Amino acid sequence: MAAVWELDLPQNEKLVALCFADFADDAGLCFPSIDRIAWKTGYSRRQVQAIVQSLRGGGILVPVGDVAGGRGRPTMHRVCPEKGAKIAPFSGRGAPRERVQRSAQRVRPAARKGAVATAPEPSLATIEPPGNHQHTLGRTAPVAVSDPEGFAEFWRVYPRREARWRAVRAFRRIPHSELPKILAAVERWRRSDQWLREGGRYVPHAATFLGGRRWEDEIPAPASGANGGASRVYDRSRRNLQAAGFLP
């Protein structure tokens, strides 16, 4: 039914014909209701009915079976695009542009007797050098922002120093009065078995620690074992963290 695109029809008739073609099968048969066509095209029922009558008169829509139709009983139509006139083949070029008249043919206002010719006034638009602009494509130049108060102290003691800008953003949302609690909790977490396990693998990012208010969590006690096993694990994990640069 792609041949409907090539029909030389008014805009409203082509749109309705395309809707019928959209519902048609390989044989061109379809039975969409008037309400369905009106919903797809945005036209009223009366407009669709008048357009369908016009398409029937041109032979593009041929009713099959009961022509009366009605609500709940849509009429079956056969779409016959070969019955309509075709538009000119597309040449791949747009509409031809009008040629600009030569200077001798341009219409100029008649000069009055005794008038003095004057040069055209210069444009008032000025071009500024690109280096003077502070905005580029709607974006402002980056401005250096200092760290919030107390963040440097927190960042110095926290064992996992990754994604610093995320940590700064999370730190700004926390009241400064919470800083002593955060530092004390970090010191206790650094000695916990969870953070010392596997060379600090389970230490969360600083932004996660701050955003989740992890300093308020209950810190698990170090795992105990026979013959001082927990102490040896702690010492070995601490040496690993120091070698990796997470601990001083």
Side-chain angles (χ1 to χ4, degrees), residues 134-150:
Q134 297 181 355
H135 300 275
T136 304
L137 297 178
R139 298 181 180 179
T140 58
V143 180
V145 180
S146 59
D147 293 338
E149 183 181 359

Side-chain angles (χ1 to χ4, degrees), residues 20 29-32 56 62-66 73-78:
F20 274 88
L29 296 175
C30 59
F31 48 93
R56 286 179 181 177
V62 178
V64 179
D66 186 8
R73 295 185 298 108
T75 303
M76 179 175 291
H77 288 84
R78 183 187 301 276

Side-chain angles (χ1 to χ4, degrees), residues 3 44 85 112 185 245:
S44 65
R112 295 183 179 180

Side-chain angles (χ1 to χ4, degrees), residues 35-108:
D35 292 332
R36 172 70 68 172
I37 299 298
W39 174 78
K40 294 195 70 168
T41 59
Y43 298 147
S44 65
R45 282 180 50 85
R46 290 186 179 273
Q47 288 176 314
V48 173
Q49 289 172 344
I51 295 172
V52 168
Q53 290 297 330
S54 178
L55 292 174
R56 286 179 181 177
I60 299 174
L61 289 183
V62 178
V64 179
D66 186 8
V67 183
R71 290 186 180 272
R73 295 185 298 108
T75 303
M76 179 175 291
H77 288 84
R78 183 187 301 276
V79 183
C80 302
E82 66 276 3
K83 301 292 185 180
K86 303 295 189 298
I87 59 178
F90 182 66
S91 61
R93 298 180 181 179
R97 299 182 180 178
E98 297 182 359
R99 294 183 178 179
V100 180
Q101 295 180 349
R102 297 180 180 178
S103 57
Q105 299 175 351
R106 292 178 183 174
V107 178
R108 297 180 179 179

Side-chain angles (χ1 to χ4, degrees), residues 4-223:
V4 177
W5 287 99
E6 302 176 3
L7 293 177
D8 188 8
L9 294 173
Q11 181 179 359
N12 55 351
E13 293 186 10
K14 178 173 283 191
L15 181 57
V16 172
L18 286 170
C19 290
F20 274 88
D22 189 31
F23 289 103
D25 57 10
D26 295 339
L29 296 175
C30 59
F31 48 93
S33 63
I34 296 297
D35 292 332
R36 172 70 68 172
I37 299 298
W39 174 78
K40 294 195 70 168
T41 59
Y43 298 147
S44 65
R45 282 180 50 85
R46 290 186 179 273
Q47 288 176 314
V48 173
Q49 289 172 344
I51 295 172
V52 168
Q53 290 297 330
S54 178
L55 292 174
R56 286 179 181 177
I60 299 174
L61 289 183
V62 178
V64 179
D66 186 8
V67 183
R71 290 186 180 272
R73 295 185 298 108
T75 303
M76 179 175 291
H77 288 84
R78 183 187 301 276
V79 183
C80 302
E82 66 276 3
K83 301 292 185 180
K86 303 295 189 298
I87 59 178
F90 182 66
S91 61
R93 298 180 181 179
R97 299 182 180 178
E98 297 182 359
R99 294 183 178 179
V100 180
Q101 295 180 349
R102 297 180 180 178
S103 57
Q105 299 175 351
R106 292 178 183 174
V107 178
R108 297 180 179 179
R112 295 183 179 180
K113 185 176 181 180
V116 180
T118 57
E121 297 182 358
S123 175
L124 298 179
T126 58
I127 301 176
E128 299 180 2
N132 295 338
H133 294 283
Q134 297 181 355
H135 300 275
T136 304
L137 297 178
R139 298 181 180 179
T140 58
V143 180
V145 180
S146 59
D147 293 338
E149 183 181 359
F151 178 78
E153 187 177 359
F154 163 77
W155 192 250
R156 184 171 58 254
V157 300
Y158 198 79
R160 187 170 185 176
R161 301 183 183 92
E162 300 177 8
R164 190 177 191 277
W165 70 274
R166 294 182 184 273
V168 171
R169 186 174 61 179
F171 193 86
R172 292 184 187 277
R173 303 191 184 103
I174 300 173
H176 185 68
S177 58
E178 297 286 329
L179 180 59
K181 301 178 183 178
I182 294 174
L183 297 178
V186 170
E187 289 296 334
R188 293 195 302 270
W189 272 106
R190 287 171 59 174
R191 299 185 182 93
S192 66
D193 179 66
Q194 180 177 340
W195 281 22
L196 293 174
R197 192 181 308 160
E198 298 185 22
R201 176 182 178 183
Y202 299 100
V203 177
H205 286 275
T208 304
F209 180 86
L210 296 172
R213 300 183 68 88
R214 298 289 301 276
W215 66 89
E216 297 177 348
D217 294 351
E218 182 179 354
I219 302 176

